[in-house]
Amino acid sequence: STILGGFGKRSRRGFGSIKILNGEKITLQYIKMLLNSIVKNSFFVVQNNKIINRKSGGKYPWIKEIEIGGLNNNVNDLLKKIGQASHKHKDPSIGNARPRMASPVFVSVVEIDTKYYPIITTLNSAYPNNYPRYNPNKINEFKNDIIKTLRR
């Protein structure tokens, strides 16, 4: 939860991220190992610089994929970039106030070797029946705007 999430307001957009001191180096392989040790009968694999969950179906949120974005030297610059992407890609597909729908995309920030990286966790979208039509391309555009810099 400390790697993929955060605490408090706007935690799905990088705010509230915390750092574990004296922990393992964060890599996709490390995150996959953690997920596989927590989730019984897991389907997580590393593929194309992402952790992919090969599970399918279910009308509830479950981790679909996890990506580590490009490096940034300044945490405030990275949070600003995440905020700008949130405003630029305002669409019901990535959350809404009315009707209330939490975003299926979590962006947290991790520090690795004094550099900062966004970790983007995409959940299975479980929208209510009365929710405005959503567009998966909008989710990808939002994520790509954050990730488009250097990949690890």
Side-chain angles (χ1 to χ4, degrees):
S1 66
T2 57
I3 297 169
L4 302 180
F7 297 95
K9 193 172 186 178
R10 306 282 297 155
S11 64
R12 289 180 191 235
R13 297 296 178 254
F15 294 96
S17 297
I18 63 169
K19 177 182 175 184
I20 299 174
L21 300 175
N22 301 322
E24 295 287 326
K25 185 171 181 176
I26 308 298
T27 63
L28 288 175
Q29 289 293 340
Y30 177 68
I31 296 170
K32 182 189 116 188
M33 185 266 314
L34 287 174
L35 290 170
N36 285 331
S37 68
I38 295 169
V39 180
K40 189 175 182 180
N41 302 323
S42 62
F43 300 93
F44 297 103
V45 295
V46 175
Q47 190 176 1
N48 300 326
N49 292 321
K50 299 178 185 180
I51 296 174
I52 306 287
N53 190 343
R54 294 184 296 184
K55 173 187 170 116
S56 63
K59 296 195 183 244
Y60 55 91
W62 44 266
I63 295 174
K64 199 171 184 178
E65 68 180 29
I66 300 168
E67 305 170 70
I68 298 180
L71 68 90
N72 200 302
N73 292 321
N74 184 299
V75 69
N76 292 323
D77 288 346
L78 180 54
L79 290 171
K80 184 176 180 180
K81 181 178 179 178
I82 295 165
Q84 289 169 337
S86 296
H87 290 288
K88 178 180 174 183
H89 299 284
K90 202 167 212 155
D91 185 88
S93 304
I94 58 171
N96 209 3
R98 290 190 179 95
R100 179 73 181 120
M101 179 65 187
S103 176
V105 181
F106 278 80
V107 184
S108 56
V109 176
V110 293
E111 181 183 4
I112 305 170
D113 299 329
T114 69
K115 305 286 186 207
Y116 299 93
Y117 299 85
I119 295 186
I120 301 173
T121 305
T122 306
L123 303 177
N124 180 51
S125 301
Y127 299 100
N129 292 336
N130 64 346
Y131 197 72
R133 186 173 171 89
Y134 71 96
N135 182 348
N137 291 330
K138 296 291 186 182
I139 293 172
N140 290 330
E141 289 170 9
F142 169 64
K143 293 184 337 181
N144 288 335
D145 211 22
I146 295 168
I147 290 180
K148 68 182 174 188
T149 59
L150 236 113
R151 279 195 179 263
R152 290 186 11 83

